[in-house]
Amino acid sequence: MRFITAAMTAAAISAAAASAFAAPARLSDVQFIAANRCLGIESTKALGDGREADFKSLVKEQQWGRTNYINDQADAARDEANSQASRGGAEQIGHLTAERDGVCRAFLTTTTASTPAQSHSM
């Protein structure tokens, strides 16, 4: 399970970096799963920093047209990240904080850049 999580995180980082140059209107399935993972991190007391509503909005906007398999994987990624953030030790929290401040912020930056009519609060 850790290998899958690491592979999804690496893929999300690559996808987020690529999307910084060409912000897509629609997230790929891998990006959608990673955005759900970010929602799981943001929805915890330990690591949430006020962006939970932004991620809920992003996930809701991006959910249409996804297969049941992708939605199930997104739910699992969100639940796993939430569990890790709630029960993780110092090392795990450090990794999740880096993920929140890196990959997760990239999603909000690129999606707000691609939809200028939307306003996301700080």
Side-chain angles (χ1 to χ4, degrees):
M1 186 63 149
R2 287 184 183 180
F3 174 75
I4 293 170
T5 302
M8 285 181 10
T9 301
I13 291 169
S14 298
S19 68
F21 297 105
R26 175 128 169 108
L27 296 177
S28 70
D29 289 343
V30 171
Q31 291 171 319
F32 177 71
I33 292 168
N36 271 276
R37 182 169 166 77
C38 292
L39 176 57
I41 294 169
E42 285 288 344
S43 64
T44 63
K45 290 180 182 179
L47 293 174
D49 66 353
R51 300 277 176 111
E52 181 180 4
D54 294 335
F55 279 102
K56 281 184 179 179
S57 176
L58 173 63
V59 166
K60 185 176 180 181
E61 289 171 5
Q62 295 288 328
Q63 190 168 12
W64 59 269
R66 305 284 176 184
T67 65
N68 288 339
Y69 176 77
I70 295 301
N71 283 316
D72 290 346
Q73 293 298 308
D75 290 345
R78 182 178 58 247
D79 292 345
E80 181 181 1
N82 189 289
S83 178
Q84 289 173 342
S86 297
R87 297 185 182 110
E91 184 177 347
Q92 182 70 41
I93 295 298
H95 289 293
L96 292 170
T97 301
E99 185 176 349
R100 180 198 67 197
D101 295 343
V103 174
C104 296
R105 290 301 162 266
F107 281 121
L108 295 181
T109 302
T110 58
T111 56
T112 56
S114 66
T115 56
Q118 293 180 332
S119 65
H120 292 276
S121 63
M122 291 283 203

